[in-house]
Amino acid sequence: MNDVIPAVQAASQVPSSATAPSVSDTPSRGTITLAATPIGNVGDASARLLAGLEQADVVAAEDTRRLLALAQRLGVRVGGRLLAFHEHNERARTAELLDEARAGRSVLVVSDAGMPSVSDPGYRLVVAAADEGVPVTVAPGPSAVLTALAVSGLACDRFSFEGFLPRKTGEQRRALEALVDEQRTMVFFESPRRAHRTLAAMAEVFGAQRRAVLCRELTKTHEEVRRATLGALVEATAASVLGEVVIVVAGAPAAPADPRAGAQEALELADGGMRLKAAAAQVAERVGLRPNQVYRAALSLRDRQD
């Protein structure tokens, strides 16, 4: 995600322990390392990122100017050859980076913010490296996806990352309609210019009462986490939205079980010698219904069969 790291975040915010990486932090030769960069606060930079920037033979960056500005704030110097690696040249640059790794050089890949390949360049490179047997490793770190999910207050045990929705209205609506019954918490990236329109589309498709969270400027000075319904978030963003945005939406509630679905099973158990009430209770416990719901449905079904 293309978070802009504010210049007011000084290099002094980096923990002192991160300025002296151990030998194990040194990037491996002949290997491509995907390194996460801060999504806002430079104090989140890892020791392995600092070591990679200083010691990698080749550093491939989504925006070289932003990376150099980040390195300055981190108090490190990019020691290797710096290459631009973005969505417009990713396909062509992939072959060059693979050649560098095959030649025994260490290659560090970074995006503007967060983890490369997650809605940023890097995916094609990893696929190509895997196909050709070139080692790939990760220097993990800040993630806008996990940060937003953790702070949202919505269920975190199961979630789906949906990235950026299509920009065209029709395509966006179709994408949202395909997620109407998704029961996992959903995480979306969105630009501040389109946030209001996207929230409005979500409210129309998912329902205005669906719970959601608008995360803005995560880890930055003006961080804001607004928890509400989709309808309330539409109203709250009517004027304007500033900064980088992550939208977290609660999953759809589980569809209530139909008592009729367990009625036949209860009757079959009863035909095998079990009392119908006991059979209904057994089926109800399995499908998440009350025993009397299944029992009444079974009695109704038996009457129709007779």
Side-chain angles (χ1 to χ4, degrees):
M1 190 178 183
N2 297 329
D3 286 359
V4 179
I5 302 172
V8 296
Q9 303 281 4
S12 60
Q13 289 181 284
V14 182
S16 59
S17 59
T19 61
S22 64
V23 174
S24 62
D25 293 327
T26 303
S28 302
R29 294 190 174 278
T31 298
I32 295 172
T33 300
L34 306 179
T37 54
I39 62 175
N41 191 321
V42 296
D44 296 331
S46 71
R48 292 183 63 191
L49 171 64
L50 300 179
L53 291 175
E54 289 187 319
Q55 301 174 28
D57 297 312
V58 179
V59 177
E62 185 178 5
D63 187 317
T64 56
R65 290 174 298 179
R66 287 189 178 183
L67 178 67
L68 290 173
L70 172 62
Q72 183 178 21
R73 289 191 287 277
L74 291 171
V76 299
R77 177 180 175 275
V78 178
R81 187 160 69 99
L82 181 59
L83 300 175
F85 182 58
H86 46 71
E87 60 178 331
H88 302 297
N89 72 353
E90 183 178 6
R91 193 178 300 276
R93 192 70 88 186
T94 288
E96 182 178 355
L97 296 177
L98 292 176
D99 287 342
E100 293 284 2
R102 277 192 291 258
R105 300 182 182 90
S106 56
V107 177
L108 186 78
V109 179
V110 295
S111 62
D112 288 343
M115 179 60 67
S117 82
V118 181
S119 288
D120 280 327
Y123 169 75
R124 292 188 181 89
L125 175 62
V126 174
V127 171
D131 289 342
E132 299 188 25
V134 175
V136 179
T137 189
V138 172
S143 164
V145 177
L146 295 181
T147 301
L149 181 67
V151 79
S152 70
L154 300 177
C156 297
D157 54 339
R158 297 175 65 243
F159 70 94
S160 66
F161 172 56
E162 302 300 331
F164 287 95
L165 287 166
R167 296 188 180 187
K168 293 183 178 179
T169 302
E171 294 177 3
Q172 184 187 76
R173 185 176 181 86
R174 286 191 290 272
L176 290 173
E177 288 175 342
L179 296 170
V180 165
D181 297 322
E182 175 58 66
Q183 295 182 18
R184 295 172 295 178
T185 299
M186 297 168 283
V187 183
F188 301 85
F189 284 165
E190 191 51 281
S191 77
R193 297 187 305 277
R194 295 190 298 272
H196 174 72
R197 183 172 68 88
T198 295
L199 286 166
M202 288 177 172
E204 184 177 347
V205 175
F206 296 152
Q209 295 305 310
R210 180 80 69 92
R211 290 186 301 152
V213 182
L214 177 68
C215 301
R216 189 180 67 81
E217 297 287 87
L218 286 169
T219 78
K220 301 177 185 178
T221 303
H222 301 293
E223 176 181 294
E224 178 185 19
V225 178
R226 190 183 291 259
R227 303 176 184 88
T229 63
L230 282 170
L233 290 177
V234 172
E235 294 181 6
T237 57
S240 64
V241 178
L242 300 176
E244 296 296 334
V245 170
V246 183
I247 300 171
V248 187
V249 181
D258 186 346
R260 293 171 298 180
Q264 183 60 47
E265 183 181 349
L267 288 178
E268 291 172 359
L269 290 173
D271 289 341
M274 183 180 291
R275 291 177 61 247
L276 182 57
K277 279 193 174 182
Q282 178 176 310
V283 173
E285 182 178 4
R286 181 178 59 79
V287 300
L289 289 168
R290 294 192 301 274
N292 64 342
Q293 289 179 298
V294 179
Y295 179 67
R296 288 197 301 268
L299 288 176
S300 177
L301 179 60
R302 188 163 61 183
D303 290 342
R304 290 197 299 273
Q305 290 176 347
D306 292 342

